[in-house]
Amino acid sequence: MSRHDRKFMRRAIALSLKNAAGTDGGPFGAVVVKGGRVVGTGSNNVTASRDPTAHAEIVAIRAACRKLKTHDLGGAVIYTSCEPCPMCLVAILWARIDRMVYGNTRADAAAVDFDDAWFYKQVSLPVHRRALPAKRLLGLEAQCAFRVWSRNPRRVPY
């Protein structure tokens, strides 16, 4: 842990406390730090924005990417008031964030009706065993976009 971890974690907790007292969303806050400075913050605003993806971590990642004008947050640390749900965890991984520091655990969240165990289980199941019915259709046609992408000399890998 860095010497600044407590300071940035307290900032994420402050965002979660502010949100807990309001109606914008759940009691969650997140801060993205790169090079020792805050580059993005976020509070859960699922209900205010009517966006189920507007979790604190996602909001903070989006803000950091806008500020830094990049999709790659390599070298950054995310401080989050709670261990992330599967969506947020995967977003953190996709953003290439180097390290995560969190406050509350998944069990703590479940105790106040934010239980994401079902989502974690669904992600680990084979597609045909998930609760969401899914059927593959026009796979060969869909693969055309992958062929075009793989030959595009201007593509930006991520």
Side-chain angles (χ1 to χ4, degrees):
M1 294 288 163
S2 84
R3 61 188 176 99
H4 298 293
D5 283 346
R6 289 181 189 278
K7 174 177 79 169
F8 294 126
M9 190 66 222
R10 284 191 175 109
R11 186 150 177 197
I13 292 168
L15 289 167
S16 73
L17 281 166
K18 181 178 178 189
N19 231 44
T23 60
D24 288 348
F28 304 98
V31 177
V32 177
V33 174
K34 188 166 183 180
R37 66 185 177 98
V38 174
V39 294
T41 63
S43 295
N44 181 295
N45 61 20
V46 167
T47 54
S49 66
R50 295 177 178 84
D51 177 356
T53 69
H55 292 197
E57 297 91 341
I58 303 286
V59 173
I61 289 168
R62 289 174 180 163
C65 289
R66 275 192 308 274
K67 182 171 187 161
L68 298 176
K69 296 177 174 50
T70 184
H71 63 278
D72 185 340
L73 297 177
V77 178
I78 189 164
Y79 298 85
T80 177
S81 64
C82 187
E83 183 179 358
C85 74
M87 175 182 69
C88 292
L89 176 59
V90 171
I92 290 164
L93 294 169
W94 269 112
R96 308 296 192 248
I97 290 173
D98 285 8
R99 191 165 61 93
M100 176 179 74
V101 180
Y102 65 95
N104 291 308
T105 66
R106 290 167 42 189
D108 297 331
V112 293
D113 296 327
F114 288 99
D115 190 351
D116 55 13
W118 184 82
F119 298 102
Y120 271 99
K121 183 177 179 187
Q122 288 297 305
V123 170
S124 69
L125 291 172
V127 70
H128 67 278
R129 293 196 50 224
R130 294 180 187 150
L132 177 68
K135 176 184 173 157
R136 185 170 186 213
L137 182 64
L138 301 176
L140 292 176
E141 289 181 38
Q143 288 176 7
C144 181
F146 286 170
R147 287 190 297 276
V148 169
W149 167 259
S150 67
R151 293 189 303 260
N152 180 352
R154 297 174 295 136
R155 73 179 181 265
V156 178
Y158 62 96

